[in-house]
Amino acid sequence: MLSASKCAKISADRRGQRAAMDGDVAVGVKRGSDELNMYSSSPSSMTANGSDSKKQRLDESPPSRVLHIRKLPNEVTETEVIALGLPFGKVTNILMLKGKNQAFLELGTEEAAITMVNYYTAVTPQVRNTPVFIQYSNHKELKTDSALNQRAQAVLQAVSAVQDGSSPSSDPGVLELAPPPSPVLRIIIDNMFYPVTLDVLQQIFSKFGTVMKIITFTKNNQFQALLQFSDPVNAQQAKLSLDGQNIYNSCCTLRIDFSKLVNLNVKYNNDKSRDYTRPDLPTGDGDSANKDHSLLGTPSGALASYSSGGSYSSSLSLSQGGGAISPLSAAAAAAAAAGRVALSGSGVSGVLLASNLNEEMVTPQSLFTLFGVYGDVQRVKILYNKKDSALIQLSDGNQAQLAMSHLNGQKVFGKVMRVTLSKHQTVALPREGLDDQLLTKDFAGSPLHRFKKPGSKNFQNIFPPSATLHLSNIREGVGEEDLRLLFSNSGGAVKAFKFFQDRKMALIQMSSVEEAIQALMDLHNYDMGGNHHLKVSFSKSTI
């Protein structure tokens, strides 16, 4: 039992802490007076933290391997809090103060804690899409009463056991971690607003051990994968750490279970399946086995690797939304370095500048259609005094980077188009009556946006410009000759054609990528009659 005077002192500490919390705006800058004192063997260390002198003293204090995490969501679990620290090193202790929406996390070394605080100074950590605050604790060591903190200790014990490759000996009824049943994981991606590829999965999961094989597929309109580790313990560690985490900012959520399979049979090495132990396997579709199939690209030496010391590039800005943890930063770093996907919080504009255009041919509509393959174009403005240049505004910086990476350097209307990020944040509309040349167009309400619907299959079918086009929504009764003639009239030569079994979709191969780009701009949304508008996109396949 606590004495009345001690209870009063704790109450004063709490009031002081709330006052300090309300003034905090930075992560990892100040050190708070931790409520750990009521669990500590050093009651003399308890003081209110509302005074300026206290704050000044805290700013000058050295780092600690104990971190104070505040403003956690009400339903946060011990696993989610531990997950914040896992990428940076071994987590050695945890104390949950759920009534205060706070927690304390002790890392194995001070260096790991410094790395974690430095990382979260540049990147706002989020748990369940809620920003949380992380700072150094006043304490050099976390002393907890196991009787009051039993469940948190059991979770930590289980995590530590998996990290060490051993079996946990948690108390019966508190937490049981069964031996891993299989080295194969089944992975489902929810809220897939941006493409996730086999290469991205390999980058994420290889942090936990040797990834031997991956097979990807779509089932029930969801992107799924089977991934095989060399050791079941690695699979268990990956599942424990990554299940429920987001790959990108508030989307692409990983749902992970053990597969009933214990070994995967991979026949081909391509963008759908890969056996990393058998580089000699054929591709099965005519593509080069060494071709980079990743939609997000592979950076040239710019991938932020996760080292044994838990050090990440501080430039990374991957959200921790929904409990996302930093091993996923590697995939985001790869994407950003390749110019495919912007990192959240990086302030990347959603406006692109396209230059060296054919001013005799280009229109706002043609640019809307072409750039719309990679994002939802909101506005297009062809510059009045420089009509070979245009500003294209997409929904966000992610889409802008995706479009830039795929379209920069492509030949459009006979000229090599250059695409860069614009300094503008938006494309301004002209005042009424001043745009007599119709150089600016607002597409914000267009029904042709491909990515408006969350979870749309279009997110899984984003490919670089190619000579082969994918056609869908083909009207019944329209035959191969009709489509060959239609695409020939767009100014190109049709080299090959192939209907899908239901004849509602087809592949058509033009003689060059430039001709395919022209055909897509001309014929996407082409009215075939009977309320059927042709859908055209780039394909990764060949005929």
Side-chain angles (χ1 to χ4, degrees):
M1 292 288 291
L2 294 172
S3 66
S5 60
K6 195 168 184 178
C7 288
K9 193 167 183 57
I10 291 172
S11 178
D13 268 7
R14 289 176 173 174
R15 288 196 299 271
Q17 187 171 16
R18 278 196 295 270
M21 285 166 58
D22 291 340
D24 268 330
V25 292
V27 176
V29 176
K30 297 183 179 178
R31 295 155 54 86
S33 87
D34 308 336
E35 295 191 28
L36 168 63
N37 306 91
M38 64 187 75
Y39 298 94
S40 172
S41 59
S42 178
S44 61
S45 63
M46 294 177 64
T47 52
N49 72 335
S51 68
D52 291 337
S53 60
K54 170 84 174 192
K55 290 181 181 179
Q56 183 177 0
R57 187 168 74 252
L58 295 178
D59 287 339
E60 295 170 356
S61 300
S64 166
R65 67 189 181 101
V66 179
L67 299 176
H68 185 194
I69 305 171
R70 300 181 288 109
K71 298 194 177 180
L72 289 162
N74 289 329
E75 302 302 320
V76 69
T77 65
E78 291 86 349
T79 304
E80 288 173 301
V81 175
I82 293 171
L84 288 169
L86 272 183
F88 303 96
K90 188 174 180 62
V91 176
T92 53
N93 209 347
I94 181 175
L95 172 62
M96 300 290 291
L97 301 178
K98 290 194 174 181
K100 304 296 295 180
N101 299 92
Q102 299 180 21
F104 294 92
L105 204 63
E106 180 187 273
L107 277 75
T109 65
E110 192 173 286
E111 290 73 17
I114 292 171
T115 302
M116 181 171 169
V117 169
N118 287 343
Y119 177 75
Y120 288 128
T121 300
V123 181
T124 302
Q126 294 187 18
V127 176
R128 301 194 178 195
N129 295 326
T130 301
V132 299
F133 293 79
I134 300 176
Q135 57 196 168
Y136 296 119
S137 165
N138 290 337
H139 295 265
K140 296 298 184 184
E141 184 180 357
L142 190 55
K143 299 176 182 178
T144 55
D145 184 333
S146 59
L148 297 175
N149 201 38
Q150 193 176 43
R151 174 174 171 78
Q153 292 299 312
V155 173
L156 180 62
Q157 185 181 21
V159 172
S160 298
V162 175
Q163 279 185 307
D164 296 337
S166 60
S167 296
S169 55
S170 57
D171 294 334
V174 178
L175 182 74
E176 291 293 337
L177 195 67
S182 168
V184 179
L185 296 175
R186 184 182 67 132
I187 303 159
I188 298 174
I189 310 291
D190 286 340
N191 303 318
M192 191 162 153
F193 295 169
Y194 296 104
V196 175
T197 66
L198 180 150
D199 296 308
V200 167
L201 292 175
Q202 194 274 338
Q203 290 166 7
I204 294 169
F205 282 83
S206 61
K207 185 263 174 185
F208 298 92
T210 302
V211 175
M212 298 178 69
K213 304 172 185 178
I214 305 178
I215 298 173
T216 64
F217 55 96
T218 300
K219 184 177 180 181
N220 299 328
N221 291 327
Q222 281 187 309
F223 179 84
Q224 301 189 26
L226 294 171
L227 185 146
Q228 180 177 339
F229 280 99
S230 58
D231 191 317
V233 171
N234 301 139
Q236 189 172 39
Q237 184 178 358
K239 179 181 183 299
L240 184 65
S241 297
L242 296 178
D243 185 31
Q245 314 305 332
N246 293 336
I247 296 179
Y248 300 119
N249 186 23
S250 302
C251 68
C252 299
T253 306
L254 292 164
R255 303 295 178 198
I256 305 172
D257 288 305
F258 286 107
S259 170
K260 294 178 182 178
L261 301 172
V262 294
N263 185 50
L264 298 179
N265 181 25
V266 176
K267 296 181 179 179
Y268 304 113
N269 282 340
N270 52 36
D271 59 337
K272 297 294 185 186
S273 62
R274 196 79 52 85
D275 186 337
Y276 295 96
T277 69
R278 293 282 311 278
D280 57 313
L281 288 178
T283 60
D285 57 3
D287 288 344
S288 167
N290 296 321
K291 183 179 177 182
D292 172 22
H293 293 281
S294 170
L295 306 186
L296 302 179
T298 302
S300 54
L303 175 62
S305 61
Y306 177 77
S307 69
S308 58
S311 175
Y312 276 99
S313 164
S314 61
S315 65
L316 294 182
S317 199
L318 185 69
S319 168
Q320 301 296 315
I325 61 175
S326 301
L328 310 190
S329 301
R340 303 297 196 229
V341 176
L343 298 175
S344 65
S346 58
V348 175
S349 165
V351 180
L352 297 173
L353 173 65
S355 58
N356 199 41
L357 302 171
N358 185 331
E359 58 185 89
E360 301 297 326
M361 302 288 291
V362 72
T363 64
Q365 183 66 47
S366 63
L367 293 174
F368 165 78
T369 303
L370 178 58
F371 282 78
V373 173
Y374 302 106
D376 291 337
V377 176
Q378 303 299 307
R379 295 175 181 177
V380 178
K381 177 192 285 287
I382 296 174
L383 303 186
Y384 182 80
N385 293 322
K386 193 171 172 53
K387 291 187 174 62
D388 67 345
S389 300
L391 294 173
I392 301 102
Q393 180 182 337
L394 291 101
S395 291
D396 56 42
N398 298 306
Q399 295 182 358
Q401 287 233 19
L402 198 63
M404 178 178 70
S405 66
H406 285 312
L407 294 177
N408 181 41
Q410 295 293 343
K411 209 169 185 181
V412 180
F413 295 126
K415 298 182 71 175
V416 176
M417 179 173 65
R418 298 299 174 198
V419 183
T420 59
L421 289 171
S422 169
K423 63 183 179 181
H424 297 282
Q425 295 300 310
T426 60
V427 171
L429 293 174
R431 285 189 297 234
E432 190 174 349
L434 294 183
D435 188 23
D436 54 354
Q437 297 185 39
L438 302 178
L439 298 177
T440 305
K441 190 162 184 181
D442 187 355
F443 295 97
S446 173
L448 301 182
H449 288 154
R450 296 178 188 247
F451 307 104
K452 188 182 299 183
K453 183 180 177 183
S456 166
K457 279 188 176 181
N458 291 331
F459 287 104
Q460 301 174 33
N461 295 297
I462 301 174
F463 302 107
S466 61
T468 305
L469 297 169
H470 180 275
L471 314 182
S472 60
N473 204 34
I474 299 171
R475 182 184 176 184
E476 186 177 353
V478 173
E480 177 178 339
E481 288 306 313
D482 299 317
L483 292 167
R484 279 179 173 270
L485 179 61
L486 180 65
F487 278 77
S488 297
N489 288 340
S490 72
V494 176
K495 304 291 287 185
F497 183 91
K498 179 184 177 182
F499 261 123
F500 284 62
Q501 191 168 3
D502 61 3
R503 298 182 70 85
K504 293 179 181 178
M505 296 188 290
L507 295 176
I508 190 165
Q509 186 174 332
M510 310 301 290
S511 61
S512 69
V513 175
E514 182 185 0
E515 288 184 3
I517 289 174
Q518 176 72 53
L520 182 142
M521 289 190 296
D522 288 348
L523 297 174
H524 177 63
N525 201 47
Y526 178 81
D527 189 354
M528 306 187 75
N531 202 27
H532 279 71
H533 288 80
L534 185 66
K535 306 301 179 188
V536 184
S537 58
F538 297 114
S539 173
K540 62 177 173 44
S541 305
T542 54
I543 304 174

